[in-house]
């Protein structure tokens, strides 16, 4: 039987953060027919809504692609689990909910690379349009937008002491750290509403699904992009076992993320010609930059045992403690079940010569050996610095013409000597903060990585042992004007018609902070461009 076919103006591949924003903005025009295809299921899983549910969503095939990296030389040969959302809302349905814009210099750098319309002044309007900051406009935040941003609903005296220690080490307190332009310590704001996760699906997609011109299909795995000559005209996808074809009058928009978008491009014949030939994939368009330029933030999980401090480690070790946690959330939507993975944040410089902070700390009143493993039996906290602007570059590439075969993911962590130096400096800064007087009453003792690491080389080696992804892959279909760029400044795939990429993969350089908020801005701007270019 021939595949069933339907026609739309825009086809969005991927119902994650970017896809939800795109679906909302494109379908707001009643003249436009929009199809959104999501390989995962609906976001009606209870642990998607409860903030602490990320523990049960990551590594769960119901909500996570469950990718895994190649063994990393810079991480002592370890391979890492690499969570990516496979559910409506994508990573915004399983992430840490932390809202950080990045630095103005990040976007000005994009503009300096030739990407007109992406400077700091250009993106700021989009941030303000999207935001609904609960604390009101403090001179830098938007209100009334779809993205609800609130303060966290719990308190740990130990984290207050860490913040005071950072101040004693010369890092000022800040009322808001939703930007990372200046040094400062403060509590992260989160994408929540009254103690519930506020994902992109909740904020953007659910209201738009009431519109007759938007069709959302879940459990729809896109097999390939369809071309007529050099124009993308639609996609082939599986809905259950049924093979279907959807045609696009205006454009196909890939919003499958920094892993999914380059993978789909390659299996569809867009990528490096020699690579595709080796996989027996017919070449549609030679684009050697597809899958290259992978960047990610590597966090270094430093654990300190403490005495006389309340931490989550001991609260969850008894049935009574767990019952109290559950009761607090049920009654007040507060407490540990409402918490993001990291509550306290800190931006600092690895070297005084840096113009802006290049290190971000995620600080937690808990500890464990690895994500997904049980909390330690002793009271402890974690300080996890990451290099905000790594120089190491990795890649994501198809290893089979079958889209169902997971791609090869190689972040190439700590390959650049400068990244190893920044890691060593970050670990030294961690020790300097912890040694300050406000923390002495808790007698912190370094458990990981351990005080026997002292020299730069030893600390870089330690970074490889305690380093792990903080889930911010970007850059694998970067925008630019050079031969290695995959999309232009209007997010159109260079050399082809009717095809765009609108997600984290288009970032030419990673932003200096958590990446969810910038992805929403990319989608906001991308939708405007797509509508204008199509004449709507």
């Amino acid at each position: 039987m021939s595949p069933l076919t339907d026609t739309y103006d825009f086809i969005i591949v991927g119902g994650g953060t970017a896809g939800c924003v795109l679906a909302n903005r494109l379908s707001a025009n009643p003249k436009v027919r929009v199809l959104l295809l999501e390989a995962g299921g609906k976001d009606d899983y209870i642990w998607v809504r409860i903030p602490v549910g990320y523990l049960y969503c990551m590594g769960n095939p119901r909500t996570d692609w469950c990718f895994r990296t190649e063994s990393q030389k810079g991480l002592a040969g370890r391979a890492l689990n690499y969570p990516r959302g496979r559910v409506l809302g994508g990573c915004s349905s399983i992430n840490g909910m932390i809202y950080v814009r990045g630095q103005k210099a990040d976007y000005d750098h994009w503009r300096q690379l030739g990407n007109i319309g992406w400077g700091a002044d250009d993106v700021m309007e989009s941030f303000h349009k999207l935001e609904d900051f609960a604390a009101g406009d403090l001179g830098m935040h938007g209100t009334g937008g779809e993205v609800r941003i609130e303060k966290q609903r719990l308190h740990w005296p130990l984290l207050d002491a860490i913040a005071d220690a950072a101040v004693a080490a010369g890092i000022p307190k800040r009322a808001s750290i939703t930007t990372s332009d200046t040094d400062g310590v403060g509590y992260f704001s989160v994408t929540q509403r009254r103690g519930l996760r506020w994902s992109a699906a909740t904020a953007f997609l659910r209201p738009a699904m009431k519109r007759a011109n938007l069709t959302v299909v879940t459990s729809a795995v896109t097999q390939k992009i369809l071309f007529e000559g050099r124009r993308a005209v639609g996609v082939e996808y599986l809905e259950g076992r049924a093979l279907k074809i959807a045609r696009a009058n205006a454009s196909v928009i890939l919003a499958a993320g920094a892993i999914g978008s380059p993978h789909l491009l390659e299996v569809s014949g867009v990528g490096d010609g020699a690579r595709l030939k080796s996989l027996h994939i017919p070449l549609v368009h030679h684009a050697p930059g597809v899958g290259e330029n992978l960047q990610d933030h590597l966090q270094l999980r430093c654990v300190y045992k403490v005495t006389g401090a309340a931490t989550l480690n001991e609260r969850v070790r008894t049935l009574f403690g767990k019952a109290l946690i559950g009761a607090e959330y049920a009654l007040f939507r507060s407490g540990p079940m409402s918490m993001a993975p990291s509550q306290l944040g800190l931006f600092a410089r690895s070297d005084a010569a840096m113009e802006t902070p290049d290190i971000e700390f995620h600080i937690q009143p808990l500890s464990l050996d690895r994500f997904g493993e049980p909390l330690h039996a002793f009271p402890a906290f974690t300080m996890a610095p990451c290099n905000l602007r790594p120089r190491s570059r990795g890649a994501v590439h198809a290893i089979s013409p079958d889209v169902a075969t997971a791609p090869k993911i190689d972040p190439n962590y700590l390959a650049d000597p400068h990244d190893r130096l920044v890691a060593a400096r970050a670990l030294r800064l961690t020790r300097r903060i912890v040694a300050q007087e406000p923390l002495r009453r808790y007698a912190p003792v370094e458990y990981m990585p351990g005080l026997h690491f002292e020299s730069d080389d030893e600390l870089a080696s330690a970074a490889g042992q305690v380093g792990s992804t903080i889930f911010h892959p970007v850059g694998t279909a970067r925008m630019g004007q050079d031969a290695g760029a995959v999309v232009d400044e209007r997010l159109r795939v260079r050399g082809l018609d009717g095809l765009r990429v609108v997600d984290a993969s288009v970032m030419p350089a990673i932003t200096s902070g958590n990446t969810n908020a910038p992805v929403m801005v990319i989608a906001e701007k991308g939708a405007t461009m797509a509508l204008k270019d199509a004449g709507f």
Side-chain angles (χ1 to χ4, degrees):
M1 296 179 62
S2 299
L4 299 174
T5 304
D6 205 350
T7 301
Y8 301 84
D9 295 299
F10 295 98
I11 298 172
I12 305 165
V13 179
T17 300
C20 289
V21 177
L22 286 164
N24 182 294
R25 296 304 192 238
L26 294 175
S27 67
N29 186 326
K31 298 179 181 179
V32 173
R33 290 192 70 205
V34 181
L35 172 65
L36 174 65
L37 299 174
E38 166 55 40
K42 297 179 180 179
D43 61 333
D44 53 2
Y45 185 40
I46 183 64
W47 291 115
V48 168
R49 298 302 309 281
I50 298 174
V52 79
Y54 67 88
L55 292 171
Y56 307 101
C57 290
M58 292 185 183
N60 181 346
R62 177 172 179 171
T63 49
D64 181 6
W65 282 98
C66 299
F67 291 130
R68 192 164 174 82
T69 72
E70 297 295 298
S71 297
Q72 297 295 290
K73 181 179 179 181
L75 303 186
R78 292 181 295 127
L80 302 179
N81 292 331
Y82 217 62
R84 296 284 88 199
R86 191 174 189 267
V87 61
L88 286 178
C91 290
S92 75
S93 289
I94 70 171
N95 69 2
M97 298 159 285
I98 293 171
Y99 188 88
V100 175
R101 288 177 177 173
Q103 296 176 3
K104 292 181 179 178
D106 297 332
Y107 303 103
D108 285 339
H109 176 53
W110 293 5
R111 174 63 182 85
Q112 289 159 8
L113 293 172
N115 299 301
I116 297 171
W118 291 95
D121 291 340
D122 301 311
V123 302
M124 201 53 57
E125 180 180 353
S126 295
F127 276 117
H128 279 268
K129 179 180 179 181
L130 294 166
E131 294 170 349
D132 182 24
F133 202 82
D137 191 343
L138 302 178
M140 55 181 278
H141 304 111
T143 56
E146 290 90 350
V147 184
R148 183 65 174 177
I149 306 159
E150 297 185 350
K151 295 180 179 180
Q152 297 188 59
R153 301 164 69 90
L154 72 166
H155 177 253
W156 298 89
L158 175 61
L159 295 186
D160 291 341
I162 295 172
D164 291 340
V167 172
I171 299 165
K173 278 189 179 178
R174 289 172 52 195
S176 173
I177 54 171
T178 56
T179 66
S180 52
D181 292 288
T182 60
D183 301 66
V185 60
Y187 286 91
F188 286 119
S189 295
V190 291
T191 49
Q192 293 182 13
R193 181 184 288 275
R194 300 182 185 135
L196 293 172
R197 176 189 292 273
W198 197 251
S199 71
T202 304
F204 296 97
L205 186 59
R206 193 155 290 117
M209 288 176 72
K210 301 173 184 177
R211 300 169 182 161
N213 62 333
L214 172 63
T215 300
V216 178
V217 184
T218 56
S219 301
V221 181
T222 302
Q223 303 294 292
K224 61 181 178 180
I225 306 161
L226 301 177
F227 293 91
E228 291 180 359
R230 305 192 68 78
R231 181 174 183 83
V233 295
V235 299
E236 182 180 278
Y237 67 98
L238 279 175
E239 184 183 356
R241 294 184 178 181
L243 182 64
K244 298 185 178 182
I245 288 175
R247 293 183 64 89
N249 291 327
S251 64
V252 174
I253 304 177
L254 302 190
I259 307 302
S261 287
H263 186 212
L264 185 58
L265 284 171
E266 288 189 329
V267 299
S268 302
V270 181
D272 179 75
R275 182 184 302 279
L276 299 188
K277 183 178 180 180
S278 71
L279 296 174
H280 306 289
I281 298 173
L283 181 65
V284 173
H285 175 59
H286 177 62
V290 172
E292 296 295 307
N293 193 48
L294 174 62
Q295 301 156 61
D296 190 14
H297 288 141
L298 181 74
Q299 63 172 336
L300 312 179
R301 296 186 60 82
C302 303
V303 173
Y304 288 84
K305 292 183 176 181
V306 290
T307 301
T311 74
L312 191 60
N313 288 10
E314 61 271 22
R315 287 196 66 181
V316 301
R317 295 202 66 79
T318 67
L319 288 176
F320 181 70
K322 292 178 181 178
L324 285 179
I325 289 172
E328 182 178 3
Y329 187 75
L331 292 171
F332 307 110
R333 290 288 185 267
S334 63
M337 288 186 69
S338 73
M339 67 190 274
S342 303
Q343 295 79 59
L344 188 67
L346 189 157
F347 293 98
R349 302 164 206 244
S350 64
D351 187 284
M354 300 299 298
E355 289 189 11
T356 60
D358 63 330
I359 298 175
E360 177 183 10
F361 283 81
H362 291 79
I363 305 168
Q364 309 157 344
L366 56 87
S367 66
L368 63 168
D369 285 336
R370 296 175 188 85
F371 184 82
E373 296 188 1
L375 299 183
H376 289 138
F378 48 80
F381 66 87
T382 299
M383 289 190 67
C386 71
N387 179 358
L388 288 172
R389 295 186 289 276
R391 297 183 183 179
S392 300
R393 296 291 184 269
V396 175
H397 288 298
I399 60 173
S400 164
D402 183 359
V403 74
T405 301
K408 176 182 177 180
I409 303 172
D410 182 9
N412 203 25
Y413 295 117
L414 297 177
D416 190 285
H418 185 263
D419 291 352
R420 293 173 62 83
L421 177 61
V422 172
R425 289 172 173 170
L427 293 176
R428 284 204 175 89
L429 177 58
T430 304
R431 289 174 175 173
R432 184 161 67 87
I433 293 170
V434 173
Q436 300 301 314
E437 191 277 333
L439 274 173
R440 288 176 189 167
R441 66 183 181 274
Y442 298 124
V445 175
E446 185 172 320
Y447 175 73
M448 289 171 53
L451 291 172
H452 54 286
F453 296 101
E454 296 181 353
S455 69
D456 281 353
D457 286 344
E458 289 171 341
L459 288 170
S461 176
Q465 294 178 33
V466 301
S468 182
T469 177
I470 204 164
F471 321 123
H472 297 163
V474 307
T476 49
R478 69 175 175 87
M479 63 175 153
Q481 310 304 315
D482 60 287
V486 177
V487 301
D488 64 15
E489 73 279 3
R490 297 190 69 77
L491 309 184
R492 301 169 296 199
V493 175
R494 292 161 49 89
L496 295 172
D497 296 320
L499 183 60
R500 313 176 94 96
V501 182
V502 183
D503 57 30
S505 61
V506 305
M507 293 187 189
I510 196 167
T511 53
S512 302
N514 304 68
T515 52
N516 193 244
V519 168
M520 288 187 274
V521 165
I522 289 170
E524 175 73 32
K525 290 176 65 64
T528 300
M529 293 171 179
L531 286 168
K532 184 175 181 179
D533 290 350
F536 290 105

